[in-house]
Coordinates of all heavy atoms in Angstrom, one line a residue:
Q151 N -9.1 3.5 -30.7 CA -10.2 4.3 -30.2 C -10.1 5.7 -30.7 O -9.0 6.3 -30.8 CB -10.1 4.4 -28.6 CG -10.2 3.0 -28.0 CD -10.4 3.0 -26.5 OE1 -10.4 4.1 -25.9 NE2 -10.5 1.9 -25.9
F152 N -11.3 6.3 -31.0 CA -11.3 7.7 -31.4 C -12.3 8.5 -30.5 O -13.4 8.1 -30.3 CB -11.9 7.8 -32.9 CG -11.1 7.0 -33.9 CD1 -11.4 5.7 -34.2 CD2 -10.0 7.6 -34.5 CE1 -10.7 5.0 -35.1 CE2 -9.3 6.9 -35.5 CZ -9.6 5.6 -35.8
K153 N -11.8 9.6 -30.0 CA -12.7 10.4 -29.2 C -13.5 11.4 -30.1 O -12.9 12.0 -30.9 CB -11.8 11.2 -28.2 CG -12.6 12.2 -27.3 CD -13.0 11.7 -26.0 CE -14.1 12.5 -25.4 NZ -13.6 13.7 -24.7
L154 N -14.8 11.4 -29.9 CA -15.6 12.4 -30.7 C -16.2 13.4 -29.8 O -17.1 13.0 -29.0 CB -16.6 11.6 -31.5 CG -16.2 10.6 -32.5 CD1 -17.3 9.8 -33.1 CD2 -15.4 11.2 -33.7
N155 N -15.8 14.6 -29.9 CA -16.4 15.6 -29.0 C -17.6 16.2 -29.7 O -18.6 16.7 -29.1 CB -15.4 16.8 -28.7 CG -14.3 16.3 -27.8 OD1 -14.6 15.6 -26.8 ND2 -13.1 16.5 -28.1
S156 N -17.6 16.2 -31.1 CA -18.8 16.6 -31.8 C -18.7 15.9 -33.2 O -17.7 15.4 -33.5 CB -18.7 18.2 -32.0 OG -17.6 18.4 -32.9
V157 N -19.9 16.0 -33.9 CA -20.0 15.3 -35.2 C -18.9 15.8 -36.1 O -18.3 15.1 -36.9 CB -21.4 15.4 -35.8 CG1 -21.5 14.8 -37.1 CG2 -22.4 14.8 -34.8
S158 N -18.6 17.1 -36.0 CA -17.6 17.7 -36.9 C -16.2 17.1 -36.8 O -15.4 17.2 -37.7 CB -17.6 19.2 -36.8 OG -17.1 19.5 -35.5
D159 N -15.9 16.5 -35.6 CA -14.6 15.8 -35.5 C -14.4 14.7 -36.5 O -13.2 14.4 -36.8 CB -14.5 15.1 -34.1 CG -14.2 16.1 -33.0 OD1 -14.0 17.3 -33.3 OD2 -14.3 15.7 -31.8
L160 N -15.5 14.2 -37.1 CA -15.4 13.1 -38.1 C -14.6 13.6 -39.3 O -14.0 12.8 -40.0 CB -16.8 12.7 -38.5 CG -17.5 11.8 -37.5 CD1 -18.9 11.6 -38.0 CD2 -16.8 10.5 -37.4
N161 N -14.7 14.9 -39.6 CA -14.0 15.5 -40.7 C -12.5 15.3 -40.6 O -11.8 15.3 -41.6 CB -14.3 16.9 -40.9 CG -15.8 17.1 -41.1 OD1 -16.5 16.2 -41.6 ND2 -16.4 18.2 -40.6
N162 N -12.0 15.3 -39.4 CA -10.5 15.3 -39.2 C -10.0 13.9 -39.0 O -8.8 13.7 -38.7 CB -10.1 16.1 -38.0 CG -10.8 17.5 -38.1 OD1 -10.9 18.1 -39.2 ND2 -11.2 18.0 -36.9
L163 N -10.8 12.9 -39.0 CA -10.4 11.5 -38.7 C -10.4 10.6 -39.9 O -11.3 10.7 -40.7 CB -11.3 10.9 -37.6 CG -11.3 11.5 -36.2 CD1 -12.4 10.9 -35.3 CD2 -9.9 11.4 -35.5
V164 N -9.4 9.7 -39.9 CA -9.4 8.7 -41.0 C -9.7 7.4 -40.2 O -9.0 6.9 -39.4 CB -8.0 8.6 -41.6 CG1 -8.0 7.6 -42.7 CG2 -7.5 9.9 -42.1
I165 N -10.9 6.9 -40.5 CA -11.4 5.7 -39.8 C -11.5 4.6 -40.8 O -12.1 4.7 -41.9 CB -12.8 6.0 -39.1 CG1 -12.7 7.2 -38.2 CG2 -13.3 4.7 -38.4 CD1 -14.0 7.7 -37.7
D166 N -10.9 3.5 -40.5 CA -10.9 2.3 -41.4 C -12.2 1.5 -41.1 O -12.3 0.7 -40.2 CB -9.7 1.5 -41.0 CG -9.7 0.1 -41.8 OD1 -10.5 -0.1 -42.6 OD2 -8.8 -0.7 -41.4
F167 N -13.2 1.7 -42.0 CA -14.5 1.0 -41.8 C -14.5 -0.4 -42.4 O -15.6 -1.0 -42.5 CB -15.7 1.9 -42.4 CG -16.0 3.0 -41.5 CD1 -15.7 4.3 -41.8 CD2 -16.7 2.8 -40.2 CE1 -16.0 5.4 -40.9 CE2 -17.0 3.8 -39.4 CZ -16.6 5.1 -39.7
S168 N -13.4 -0.9 -42.7 CA -13.4 -2.4 -43.0 C -13.5 -3.1 -41.6 O -13.7 -4.3 -41.5 CB -12.1 -2.8 -43.7 OG -11.0 -2.6 -42.9
K169 N -13.2 -2.4 -40.5 CA -13.4 -2.9 -39.2 C -14.8 -2.6 -38.6 O -15.4 -1.6 -39.0 CB -12.3 -2.3 -38.2 CG -10.9 -2.7 -38.6 CD -9.9 -2.2 -37.5 CE -8.5 -2.6 -37.9 NZ -7.6 -1.4 -37.7
E170 N -15.2 -3.3 -37.6 CA -16.5 -3.0 -36.9 C -16.2 -2.2 -35.6 O -15.1 -2.4 -35.0 CB -17.2 -4.3 -36.6 CG -17.6 -5.1 -37.8 CD -18.2 -6.4 -37.5 OE1 -17.9 -7.0 -36.4 OE2 -19.0 -6.9 -38.3
Y171 N -17.1 -1.4 -35.3 CA -16.9 -0.5 -34.2 C -18.1 -0.5 -33.3 O -19.2 -0.9 -33.7 CB -16.7 1.0 -34.6 CG -15.4 1.2 -35.4 CD1 -15.3 0.9 -36.8 CD2 -14.2 1.6 -34.7 CE1 -14.1 1.1 -37.5 CE2 -13.1 1.7 -35.4 CZ -13.0 1.5 -36.8 OH -11.8 1.6 -37.5
I172 N -17.9 0.0 -32.0 CA -19.1 0.5 -31.3 C -18.8 2.0 -30.9 O -17.7 2.4 -30.8 CB -19.3 -0.3 -30.0 CG1 -18.2 -0.3 -29.0 CG2 -19.8 -1.7 -30.2 CD1 -18.5 -0.7 -27.6
L173 N -19.9 2.7 -30.9 CA -19.8 4.1 -30.4 C -20.4 4.1 -29.0 O -21.6 3.6 -28.9 CB -20.7 5.0 -31.4 CG -20.8 6.5 -31.0 CD1 -19.4 7.1 -30.9 CD2 -21.7 7.2 -32.0
E174 N -19.6 4.5 -28.1 CA -20.2 4.6 -26.7 C -20.2 6.0 -26.1 O -19.2 6.7 -26.4 CB -19.6 3.5 -25.8 CG -18.1 3.7 -25.6 CD -17.6 2.7 -24.5 OE1 -17.6 1.5 -24.8 OE2 -17.1 3.1 -23.5
K175 N -21.2 6.3 -25.4 CA -21.3 7.6 -24.8 C -20.2 7.9 -23.8 O -19.8 7.0 -23.1 CB -22.7 7.7 -24.1 CG -23.2 9.1 -24.1 CD -24.6 9.2 -23.6 CE -25.1 10.6 -23.3 NZ -24.9 11.5 -24.4
F176 N -19.7 9.1 -23.8 CA -18.6 9.4 -22.9 C -19.2 9.6 -21.5 O -20.2 10.3 -21.3 CB -17.9 10.7 -23.4 CG -16.6 10.9 -22.8 CD1 -15.5 10.1 -23.3 CD2 -16.3 11.8 -21.8 CE1 -14.2 10.2 -22.7 CE2 -15.1 11.9 -21.3 CZ -14.0 11.1 -21.7
V177 N -18.6 9.0 -20.5 CA -19.1 9.1 -19.2 C -18.3 10.2 -18.5 O -17.1 10.2 -18.6 CB -18.9 7.7 -18.4 CG1 -19.3 7.8 -17.0 CG2 -19.6 6.6 -19.1
D178 N -19.0 11.0 -17.8 CA -18.4 12.1 -17.0 C -17.9 11.5 -15.7 O -18.6 11.4 -14.7 CB -19.5 13.2 -16.7 CG -18.8 14.5 -16.3 OD1 -17.6 14.6 -16.4 OD2 -19.6 15.4 -15.8
L179 N -16.6 11.1 -15.8 CA -16.1 10.2 -14.8 C -15.7 10.9 -13.5 O -15.1 12.0 -13.5 CB -14.8 9.6 -15.3 CG -14.9 8.5 -16.4 CD1 -13.5 8.1 -16.8 CD2 -15.6 7.3 -15.8
K180 N -16.1 10.3 -12.4 CA -15.7 10.7 -11.1 C -14.5 9.8 -10.7 O -13.5 10.3 -10.2 CB -16.8 10.6 -10.1 CG -16.5 10.9 -8.7 CD -17.8 10.9 -7.9 CE -17.6 10.8 -6.4 NZ -18.9 10.6 -5.6
K181 N -14.7 8.5 -10.9 CA -13.7 7.6 -10.5 C -13.8 6.3 -11.4 O -14.8 6.1 -12.0 CB -13.9 7.1 -9.1 CG -13.1 7.7 -8.1 CD -13.4 7.1 -6.7 CE -13.2 8.1 -5.6 NZ -12.0 8.7 -5.3
E182 N -12.7 5.6 -11.4 CA -12.7 4.3 -12.0 C -12.2 3.3 -11.0 O -11.3 3.5 -10.2 CB -11.8 4.2 -13.2 CG -12.3 5.0 -14.4 CD -11.4 4.9 -15.6 OE1 -11.5 3.8 -16.3 OE2 -10.7 5.8 -16.0
I183 N -13.0 2.1 -10.9 CA -12.5 1.1 -10.0 C -12.6 -0.3 -10.7 O -13.1 -0.4 -11.8 CB -13.5 1.0 -8.8 CG1 -15.0 0.7 -9.2 CG2 -13.4 2.2 -7.9 CD1 -15.9 0.3 -8.0
S184 N -11.9 -1.2 -10.2 CA -12.0 -2.6 -10.7 C -12.2 -3.6 -9.6 O -11.8 -3.3 -8.4 CB -10.7 -2.9 -11.5 OG -9.6 -2.7 -10.7
V185 N -12.9 -4.6 -9.9 CA -13.1 -5.7 -8.9 C -12.5 -7.0 -9.5 O -12.8 -7.4 -10.6 CB -14.5 -5.9 -8.5 CG1 -14.7 -7.2 -7.6 CG2 -15.1 -4.7 -7.8
I186 N -11.6 -7.6 -8.7 CA -10.9 -8.8 -9.2 C -11.5 -10.0 -8.4 O -11.7 -9.9 -7.1 CB -9.4 -8.7 -9.0 CG1 -8.9 -7.7 -10.0 CG2 -8.7 -10.1 -9.2 CD1 -7.5 -7.4 -10.0
I187 N -11.9 -11.0 -9.1 CA -12.5 -12.1 -8.4 C -11.9 -13.4 -9.0 O -11.6 -13.5 -10.2 CB -14.0 -12.1 -8.7 CG1 -14.8 -13.3 -8.0 CG2 -14.4 -12.0 -10.1 CD1 -16.3 -13.1 -8.0
T188 N -11.7 -14.4 -8.1 CA -11.2 -15.7 -8.6 C -12.3 -16.7 -8.2 O -12.7 -16.9 -7.1 CB -9.9 -16.2 -7.9 OG1 -9.0 -15.1 -8.0 CG2 -9.4 -17.4 -8.5
R189 N -12.9 -17.3 -9.3 CA -14.0 -18.3 -9.1 C -13.4 -19.7 -9.2 O -12.7 -20.0 -10.2 CB -15.1 -18.0 -10.1 CG -16.3 -18.9 -9.8 CD -17.4 -18.5 -10.8 NE -18.6 -19.4 -10.7 CZ -18.8 -20.5 -11.4 NH1 -17.8 -21.0 -12.2 NH2 -19.9 -21.2 -11.2
F190 N -13.7 -20.5 -8.3 CA -13.2 -21.9 -8.3 C -14.2 -22.9 -8.8 O -13.9 -23.8 -9.5 CB -12.8 -22.3 -6.8 CG -11.5 -21.7 -6.4 CD1 -11.4 -20.3 -6.0 CD2 -10.3 -22.4 -6.3 CE1 -10.3 -19.7 -5.6 CE2 -9.1 -21.8 -5.9 CZ -9.1 -20.4 -5.6
K191 N -15.4 -22.7 -8.4 CA -16.6 -23.5 -8.9 C -17.8 -22.8 -8.5 O -17.8 -21.7 -8.0 CB -16.5 -24.9 -8.4 CG -16.5 -25.0 -6.9 CD -16.4 -26.5 -6.4 CE -16.6 -26.5 -4.9 NZ -16.0 -27.4 -4.2
K192 N -19.0 -23.4 -8.8 CA -20.3 -22.8 -8.5 C -20.3 -22.2 -7.1 O -20.0 -22.9 -6.1 CB -21.4 -23.8 -8.7 CG -22.8 -23.2 -8.7 CD -23.8 -24.2 -9.1 CE -25.2 -23.7 -8.9 NZ -25.6 -22.4 -8.4
D193 N -20.7 -20.9 -7.0 CA -20.8 -20.3 -5.7 C -19.6 -20.4 -4.8 O -19.7 -20.3 -3.6 CB -22.0 -20.8 -4.9 CG -23.3 -20.5 -5.6 OD1 -23.4 -19.4 -6.3 OD2 -24.2 -21.3 -5.6
S194 N -18.4 -20.6 -5.4 CA -17.2 -20.7 -4.6 C -16.1 -19.7 -5.2 O -15.6 -20.0 -6.3 CB -16.7 -22.1 -4.6 OG -15.4 -22.2 -4.1
Y195 N -15.9 -18.6 -4.5 CA -14.9 -17.7 -5.1 C -14.3 -16.8 -4.0 O -14.8 -16.8 -2.9 CB -15.6 -16.8 -6.1 CG -16.9 -16.2 -5.8 CD1 -17.0 -15.1 -4.9 CD2 -18.1 -16.8 -6.2 CE1 -18.2 -14.6 -4.6 CE2 -19.3 -16.3 -5.9 CZ -19.4 -15.2 -5.1 OH -20.6 -14.7 -4.7
E196 N -13.2 -16.2 -4.3 CA -12.5 -15.2 -3.5 C -12.6 -13.9 -4.2 O -12.3 -13.9 -5.4 CB -11.0 -15.6 -3.3 CG -10.8 -16.8 -2.4 CD -11.3 -16.7 -1.0 OE1 -11.2 -15.5 -0.4 OE2 -11.9 -17.6 -0.4
I197 N -13.0 -12.9 -3.5 CA -13.1 -11.6 -4.2 C -12.3 -10.6 -3.5 O -12.2 -10.5 -2.2 CB -14.7 -11.2 -4.2 CG1 -15.0 -10.1 -5.1 CG2 -15.2 -11.0 -2.8 CD1 -16.4 -10.0 -5.5
Y198 N -11.6 -9.8 -4.2 CA -10.7 -8.7 -3.7 C -11.5 -7.4 -3.6 O -12.4 -7.2 -4.5 CB -9.5 -8.5 -4.6 CG -8.5 -9.7 -4.7 CD1 -8.7 -10.7 -5.6 CD2 -7.5 -9.8 -3.8 CE1 -7.9 -11.7 -5.7 CE2 -6.6 -10.8 -3.9 CZ -6.8 -11.8 -4.8 OH -5.9 -12.9 -4.9
E199 N -11.3 -6.7 -2.6 CA -12.1 -5.4 -2.5 C -11.8 -4.5 -3.7 O -10.8 -4.7 -4.3 CB -11.8 -4.7 -1.2 CG -10.3 -4.2 -1.1 CD -10.0 -3.4 0.2 OE1 -10.1 -4.0 1.2 OE2 -9.7 -2.2 0.1
P200 N -12.8 -3.6 -4.0 CA -12.5 -2.8 -5.2 C -11.2 -2.0 -5.1 O -10.8 -1.6 -4.1 CB -13.7 -1.8 -5.1 CG -14.8 -2.5 -4.4 CD -14.0 -3.3 -3.4
I201 N -10.6 -1.9 -6.3 CA -9.3 -1.2 -6.4 C -9.6 0.1 -7.2 O -10.4 0.1 -8.2 CB -8.4 -2.1 -7.3 CG1 -8.1 -3.4 -6.5 CG2 -7.0 -1.3 -7.5 CD1 -7.5 -4.5 -7.4
E202 N -9.1 1.2 -6.7 CA -9.3 2.5 -7.4 C -8.2 2.7 -8.4 O -7.0 2.6 -8.1 CB -9.3 3.6 -6.3 CG -9.6 5.0 -7.0 CD -9.9 6.0 -5.9 OE1 -10.3 5.7 -4.8 OE2 -9.7 7.2 -6.2
N203 N -8.6 3.1 -9.6 CA -7.6 3.2 -10.7 C -7.6 4.6 -11.3 O -8.6 5.2 -11.5 CB -8.0 2.2 -11.8 CG -8.0 0.8 -11.4 OD1 -7.0 0.4 -10.7 ND2 -9.0 0.0 -11.7
I204 N -6.4 5.1 -11.6 CA -6.3 6.3 -12.3 C -5.6 6.1 -13.6 O -4.5 5.4 -13.7 CB -5.5 7.4 -11.5 CG1 -6.3 7.7 -10.2 CG2 -5.2 8.6 -12.3 CD1 -5.6 8.6 -9.2

Side-chain angles (χ1 to χ4, degrees):
Q151 300 188 2
F152 302 93
K153 173 92 198 284
L154 298 174
N155 291 313
S156 67
V157 175
S158 64
D159 283 352
L160 284 172
N161 302 329
N162 310 321
L163 293 172
V164 182
I165 304 167
D166 171 9
F167 282 108
S168 65
K169 294 186 182 136
E170 295 175 335
Y171 293 86
I172 59 164
L173 176 60
E174 61 174 65
K175 205 169 168 60
F176 201 73
V177 176
D178 194 10
L179 288 174
K180 178 174 164 187
K181 258 183 214 300
E182 292 185 71
I183 57 168
S184 53
V185 172
I186 291 178
I187 179 167
T188 309
R189 183 174 177 274
F190 287 73
K191 58 182 185 207
K192 189 171 172 2
D193 295 326
S194 167
Y195 45 81
E196 290 296 324
I197 192 159
Y198 295 87
E199 68 178 62
I201 299 165
E202 183 168 336
N203 300 315
I204 295 176

